Structures are given as structure tokens and as C-alpha cells.
């Protein structure tokens, strides 16, 4: 069997970049990792994924780099770094990107593609990647994968025609599927971003404020009611912004979370380890969009204000 020809770069190999990078490398893709704090450890020890779905996976010979200038030019770049570092990502992306490269932003929140689009070369194809995965980094070069793992991809902007946009999305979907990752096309990227926020808005912030994972949040009637009310605010905001979501979405998400293992979202780990929380992309941007559309989100706003207090206190 001939290995796929696409060269893939991973920028940010924490939980997201590490998991998908290892899956793609195991499928025969030529994968290159741009690392920061993990560089020396990964160079010596490789990447380890402890997966409840796929079992233990170890990538021994990691093509790792500490600077983008060292990397070969990549056809696809997967952005696994948090949105808090987006202001520093553009020159790294531009340096690592091959001609007409496809850049997939695997980040949470609203407006992350727009922020990057403003500072990227025009010939780069920018796509959004919506990750549905329970994973976190437990140590440098070590990822704990608890459940799920799918990625939905949508075209955001770039030089492609409408027909070419669909072709590129299909190529990305096929790439992930070849690696054993469930993947589908997101026909409306803006709507998909709002849909993911319906889950991220309550669980990320409440996990930090209440020091609790999804299981205790769902079992207690008070926190469960609060989760639901924030979800409903997110749905109302999406509709006000012209991206209405399915009526049954909130109940489906609550039911799906009931069946998940107890999960501490990424914001919990960021706060616990003294890293910046993704407050701008996950809270400030959707709140501003909702306000611009004349829709109030009082409980989400209160959650955001409390998180800002904790963030300022940590400085």
C-alpha cells in the first residue's frame, strides 16, 4: 500500500494536535510537529496517547521541530494551539505553509478564523475544524484520550471557487477518515461554531468556577439547570445572529453528556496549570455577537465576568 502523499504539519501538539497528529502518522501520512515546551521531551521519548477508544499508541520517531523555519513546507497545517496564542501564529503558519496550503483551525470559540484570516497570505486556504473529543495532556508528550474524537471541517476563506472549496473539504474529511477518525463536512461553518458553543459555554466555565467535571455538574439538579439555561441562551444568540440551531439540540447535548465519562474541559486544565483561559474566543466573541444582534445572555455574561475575575487574580 502506498502511503498518502500529503505532508501535514501540526502547530501545537498538546491534547488536540498530539492526538490527531499521532493518528495521521500511524495511517502513513508524513506528519511534522512544531513544538514549544514539549520539544526536548518528545524528541527523546516520542508521543504517547493513552486512549480509551484506540488503546495505547506510541509514536517513536517523531518529526519534531522547535522553529517553523526548520520544518519542510506542508500541504496541510493543523492548528492545535489554543486561541490565546493566535496573535503569534500567523508568521509560523506562513513560514511552514506550502503554496496553496490548507490550514485547519482546530480551536474552540467564535471568530478564530476571522482573526487569522486578517494576517495570513491570500493564497492560503483557511478551514475550520470542529473537534468533538474528550482529551487532555497529562504530561509533556502524553495525551489522555477518554472518549469521542470526531472532526467536522468547513471552508472559511481563500482563493478556492465554490466547487473547489467542497473538493478541499472532502479531501480533509477523507484524510481524517483514513486515519480512523470520524469526520464530516460542516456545510455551514458559522452555524457549526455556534452549535459547538452550546456545549462549550456552560461546561468550560462552570468546570473552573465549581471545580467539577461533567458528571457532578449533570448529577446535581442546580448545576444541571444552570447548564441548560446557558445552553438555551447560546441557542437564542445563534438564532439572533442568523444561525438558528435545531430545537432538540439542548436535550441531545444533555443526554450525550450524561453518557460521557466524567470530563474536565480544556479551560479547567488551563486554569489549574496557570495558563491563560480562552475567554476571548469562547465568551467575549459570542457575547459581543449576541449584543450586536440585540440578544441578551445574562447568565453567560455573569459566568464570563466571574472567569475574568479569576483570570485577573491569577496574574
Amino acid at each position: 500500500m502506498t502511503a498518502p502523499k500529503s505532508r501535514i504539519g501540526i502547530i501545537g501538539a498538546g491534547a488536540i494536535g498530539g492526538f490527531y497528529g499521532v493518528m495521521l502518522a500511524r495511517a502513513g501520512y508524513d506528519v511534522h510537529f512544531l513544538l514549544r515546551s514539549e520539544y526536548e521531551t518528545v524528541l527523546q521519548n516520542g508521543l504517547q496517547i493513552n486512549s480509551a477508544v484506540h488503546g495505547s499508541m506510541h509514536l517513536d520517531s517523531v518529526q519534531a521541530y522547535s522553529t517553523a523555519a526548520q520544518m519542510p513546507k506542508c500541504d496541510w497545517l493543523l492548528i492545535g494551539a489554543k486561541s490565546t496564542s493566535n496573535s503569534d501564529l500567523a508568521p509560523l503558519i506562513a513560514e511552514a505553509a506550502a503554496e496553496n496550503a490548507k490550514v485547519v483551525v482546530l480551536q474552540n470559540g467564535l471568530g478564530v478564523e476571522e482573526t487569522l484570516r486578517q494576517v495570513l497570505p491570500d493564497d492560503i486556504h483557511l478551514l475550520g475544524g470542529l473537534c468533538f473529543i474528550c482529551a487532555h495532556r497529562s504530561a509533556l508528550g502524553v495525551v489522555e484520550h477518554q472518549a469521542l474524537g470526531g472532526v467536522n471541517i468547513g471552508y472559511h476563506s481563500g482563493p478556492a471557487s465554490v466547487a473547489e472549496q467542497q473538493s478541499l473539504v472532502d479531501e480533509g474529511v477523507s484524510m481524517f477518515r483514513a486515519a480512523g477518525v470520524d469526520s464530516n463536512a460542516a456545510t455551514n461553518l458559522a452555524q457549526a461554531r455556534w452549535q459547538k458553543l452550546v456545549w462549550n459555554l456552560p461546561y468550560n466555565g462552570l468546570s473552573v468556577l465549581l471545580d467539577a467535571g461533567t458528571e457532578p455538574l449533570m448529577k446535581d439538579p442546580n448545576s444541571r439547570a444552570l447548564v441548560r439555561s446557558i445552553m438555551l441562551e447560546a441557542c437564542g444568540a445563534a438564532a439572533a445572529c442568523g444561525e438558528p440551531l435545531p430545537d432538540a439540540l439542548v436535550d441531545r447535548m444533555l443526554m450525550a453528556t450524561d453518557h460521557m465519562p466524567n470530563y474536565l474541559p480544556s479551560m479547567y486544565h488551563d486554569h489549574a496549570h496557570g495558563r491563560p483561559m480562552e475567554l476571548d474566543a469562547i465568551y467575549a466573541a459570542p457575547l459581543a455577537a449576541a449584543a450586536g444582534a440585540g440578544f441578551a445572555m445574562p447568565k453567560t455574561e455573569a459566568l464570563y465576568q466571574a472567569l475574568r475575575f479569576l483570570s485577573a487574580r491569577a496574574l
Side-chain angles (χ1 to χ4, degrees):
M1 177 179 175
T2 303
K5 294 181 179 180
S6 293
R7 177 180 289 153
I8 303 168
I10 308 292
I11 296 183
I16 298 300
F19 175 78
Y20 293 116
V22 168
M23 292 292 285
L24 289 160
R26 282 165 55 89
Y29 285 93
D30 182 20
V31 183
H32 301 260
F33 295 82
L34 179 61
L35 306 172
R36 291 182 295 181
S37 59
E38 301 96 337
Y39 175 71
E40 293 293 342
T41 300
V42 169
L43 203 61
Q44 292 181 11
N45 303 327
L47 279 167
Q48 175 67 36
I49 312 294
N50 300 317
S51 174
V53 178
H54 305 285
S56 177
M57 300 183 292
H58 191 268
L59 187 61
D60 297 312
S61 300
V62 179
Q63 299 184 103
Y65 310 86
S66 59
T67 69
Q70 298 170 331
M71 294 179 70
K73 300 295 185 181
C74 296
D75 307 301
W76 287 84
L77 286 170
L78 308 185
I79 310 304
K82 296 289 179 65
S83 61
T84 50
S85 62
N86 276 3
S87 60
D88 301 320
L89 288 179
L92 305 180
I93 294 171
E95 193 156 24
E99 187 177 357
N100 294 314
K102 284 78 69 177
V103 175
V104 185
V105 185
L106 302 175
Q107 295 177 340
N108 287 322
L110 198 66
V112 288
E113 291 89 5
E114 285 81 353
T115 301
L116 283 173
R117 179 74 276 171
Q118 295 172 13
V119 290
L120 287 178
D122 293 340
D123 68 324
I124 284 179
H125 302 279
L126 191 60
L127 299 92
L130 291 302
C131 304
F132 302 91
I133 185 171
C134 296
H136 69 278
R137 187 180 66 177
S138 58
L140 296 179
V142 181
V143 175
E144 310 296 331
H145 174 221
Q146 293 175 260
L148 307 175
V151 179
N152 291 346
I153 300 173
Y155 194 92
H156 178 269
S157 57
S161 66
V162 174
E164 290 169 339
Q165 290 176 19
Q166 186 59 52
S167 178
L168 291 176
V169 169
D170 290 343
E171 183 183 344
V173 166
S174 296
M175 183 174 71
F176 278 107
R177 287 180 177 177
V181 173
D182 181 36
S183 185
N184 293 284
T187 54
N188 182 336
L189 183 58
Q191 187 182 63
R193 284 268 170 217
W194 274 109
Q195 182 163 322
K196 196 159 189 290
L197 279 166
V198 174
W199 195 94
N200 277 319
L201 282 171
Y203 291 109
N204 270 282
L206 291 176
S207 73
V208 172
L209 287 184
L210 302 180
D211 190 23
T214 53
E215 186 175 326
L217 287 174
M218 296 303 288
K219 284 185 175 180
D220 183 271
N222 296 293
S223 53
R224 187 185 184 97
L226 183 54
V227 166
R228 182 182 180 85
S229 63
I230 294 172
M231 284 185 169
L232 290 172
E233 282 190 353
C235 289
C241 292
E243 305 295 348
L245 300 174
D247 292 338
L249 178 64
V250 169
D251 288 333
R252 288 208 313 264
M253 284 193 171
L254 291 172
M255 185 178 300
T257 308
D258 281 331
H259 291 89
M260 281 169 44
N262 186 35
Y263 177 57
L264 291 164
S266 60
M267 191 170 286
Y268 177 94
H269 293 285
D270 288 339
H271 178 66
H273 291 91
R275 298 188 294 261
M277 294 183 285
E278 295 181 284
L279 299 184
D280 287 345
I282 295 179
Y283 290 98
L287 281 167
F295 185 85
M297 304 176 71
K299 293 185 178 178
T300 306
E301 178 73 38
L303 178 56
Y304 172 52
Q305 290 170 338
L307 291 167
R308 288 185 65 188
F309 169 82
L310 290 178
S311 180
R313 199 177 190 184
L315 296 177

